[in-house]
Amino acid sequence: MTATLIDGKAAGQAIRDKVAAFVPEFERRAGRVPGLATVLVGEDPASAVYVRSKNRATAEAGMVSFAHNLPDTTSEEELLQLVSDLNADPRVDGILVQLPLPRQIDATRVIETIEPGKDVDGFHPMNAGRLASGLPSLVPCTPFGCLYLLKQQLGDLSGLDAVVIGRSNIVGKPIAQLLLAENCTVTLAHSRTRDLPSVVRRGDIVVAAVGRPEMVRGDWLKPGATVIDVGINRIPSADGKGKLVGDVAFAEAVEVAGAITPVPGGVGPMTIAMLMRNTLVAAHRRAGLADPEGL
Ligand code: NAP
């Protein structure tokens, strides 16, 4: 079998186009465009690239971005003060503090300081708790993007066996909650799971969010399974530049799976698309408007 490739680039662009199409109507009704504040602390090159792409995508969608670039010597109190100022700023609908943060700053305290209605990353315990309780919330962007791709590929997920590998607050736990809400039977595996290959083999859906290059082998998969590879790992390559691979051994998996996301070009582009979606949704809620439909 050769698996269908799930094109996250196309799906992500379609979401960004839809978000952009909602902005003029929002502006007409609210008298302003949605605003996203990004906060980058320090000079981590990967983080700087991510934040720049987020600011660019915001502008492309016709929304306004407020970029705050702080030195890596910033104290926790200074960052908390900036977050409080952004909470109070009526032009700001979404606040994104890029992780990881420098050592002297407690990321949990920062996340807990973000106003939950502006928490477009969906990491605040209020949003995590509401997601777990089946209540409307702002959902973390990467898992939301994974769910979107799964529904686009499979339609109704009800009754399917889903195996999620990885239990981080950012990916594993929220995607497990989202799949449960879609009536999947969910197994959440982690580093202490016994006999992981046989657990993974149960999955009609497999979501790998581990951070270990090509850990999931082709013969771990149920034939025809739909595989969502969240991992982004840089490994050495012959040309010395290094190359990106996922948590799934793609060349093997593509022979067994029914459908699979490539790395890059699968889950990656969905994260920014869902950030744009969350910013638009947060803006509607803050303006007392109904959520935009079809997003
Ligand atoms: P994380 O916080 O490091 O969590 C990794 C999870 O994998 C943990 O729950 C850990 O289990 C589990 N794990 C580690 N080794 C394992 C093993 N041998 N067998 C089974 N489970 C194992 O990572 P994360 O933030 O969720 O990110 C995971 C991957 O997704 C990374 O490659 C990251 O770069 C990528 N990512 C991509 C995007 C995107 O595309 N936009 C966004 C976020 C993350 P324990 O809990 O037991 O330690």
Side-chain angles (χ1 to χ4, degrees), residues 50 141-143 165-172 189-193 196 208-212 215 220 229-233 245-247 266-272:
Y50 288 142
C141 303
T142 301
I165 321 171
R167 57 175 163 179
S168 71
N169 289 339
I170 293 173
V171 190
H190 46 77
S191 67
R192 312 291 172 87
T193 297
L196 187 60
V210 184
R212 290 182 168 244
M215 184 188 82
W220 294 20
D229 189 351
V230 185
I232 302 178
N233 310 288
V245 297
D247 290 340
V267 174
M270 296 302 286
T271 300
I272 288 190

Side-chain angles (χ1 to χ4, degrees), residues 20-282:
F22 274 106
V23 170
E25 176 64 7
F26 176 85
E27 187 177 12
R28 197 185 61 74
R29 297 176 73 181
R32 61 183 185 85
V33 295
L36 173 67
T38 58
V39 182
L40 173 65
V41 187
E43 273 140 36
D44 177 61
S47 293
V49 170
Y50 288 142
V51 169
R52 265 202 306 276
S53 323
K54 289 167 186 176
N55 290 329
R56 201 179 317 121
T58 306
E60 279 171 18
M63 305 191 290
V64 59
S65 70
F66 307 95
H68 296 265
N69 296 329
L70 309 180
D72 63 3
T73 50
T74 302
S75 71
E76 186 174 292
E77 290 317 313
E78 286 168 325
L79 181 54
L80 293 177
Q81 185 57 55
L82 172 60
V83 171
S84 300
D85 293 346
L86 296 173
N87 284 341
D89 187 336
R91 300 167 304 165
V92 171
D93 297 292
I95 302 171
L96 178 135
V97 179
Q98 185 67 37
L99 303 177
L101 290 167
R103 211 173 291 223
Q104 72 276 13
I105 300 176
D106 177 358
T108 304
R109 270 197 82 190
V110 175
I111 290 167
E112 286 179 350
T113 303
I114 297 172
E115 158 69 34
K118 295 189 177 190
D119 170 38
V120 282
D121 256 339
F123 296 158
H124 192 287
M126 175 79 89
N127 280 315
R130 289 182 67 88
L131 175 63
S133 305
L135 298 169
S137 62
L138 286 167
V139 177
C141 303
T142 301
F144 206 18
C146 296
L147 181 72
Y148 185 96
L149 293 178
L150 282 166
K151 288 175 79 167
Q152 190 185 55
Q153 187 63 33
L154 295 170
D156 183 13
L157 308 184
S158 196
L160 296 179
D161 279 313
V163 178
V164 177
I165 321 171
R167 57 175 163 179
S168 71
N169 289 339
I170 293 173
V171 190
K173 280 181 196 149
I175 187 67
Q177 295 293 353
L178 289 168
L179 291 168
L180 190 59
E182 294 294 328
N183 300 314
C184 290
T185 304
V186 181
T187 304
L188 189 46
H190 46 77
S191 67
R192 312 291 172 87
T193 297
R194 275 185 273 169
D195 193 4
L196 187 60
S198 70
V199 171
V200 173
R201 224 167 271 129
R202 292 205 294 262
D204 302 305
I205 292 169
V206 175
V207 180
V210 184
R212 290 182 168 244
E214 304 186 320
M215 184 188 82
V216 177
R217 313 307 310 187
D219 64 2
W220 294 20
L221 298 171
K222 179 195 263 194
T226 302
V227 179
I228 304 291
D229 189 351
V230 185
I232 302 178
N233 310 288
R234 188 168 287 279
I235 60 166
S237 64
D239 62 7
K241 289 183 186 162
K243 69 167 191 167
L244 289 185
V245 297
D247 290 340
V248 178
F250 183 82
E252 295 173 15
V254 82
E255 299 298 329
V256 185
I260 185 167
T261 56
V263 176
V267 174
M270 296 302 286
T271 300
I272 288 190
M274 288 309 185
L275 177 66
M276 298 302 108
R277 181 262 177 206
N278 277 355
T279 302
L280 181 77
V281 167

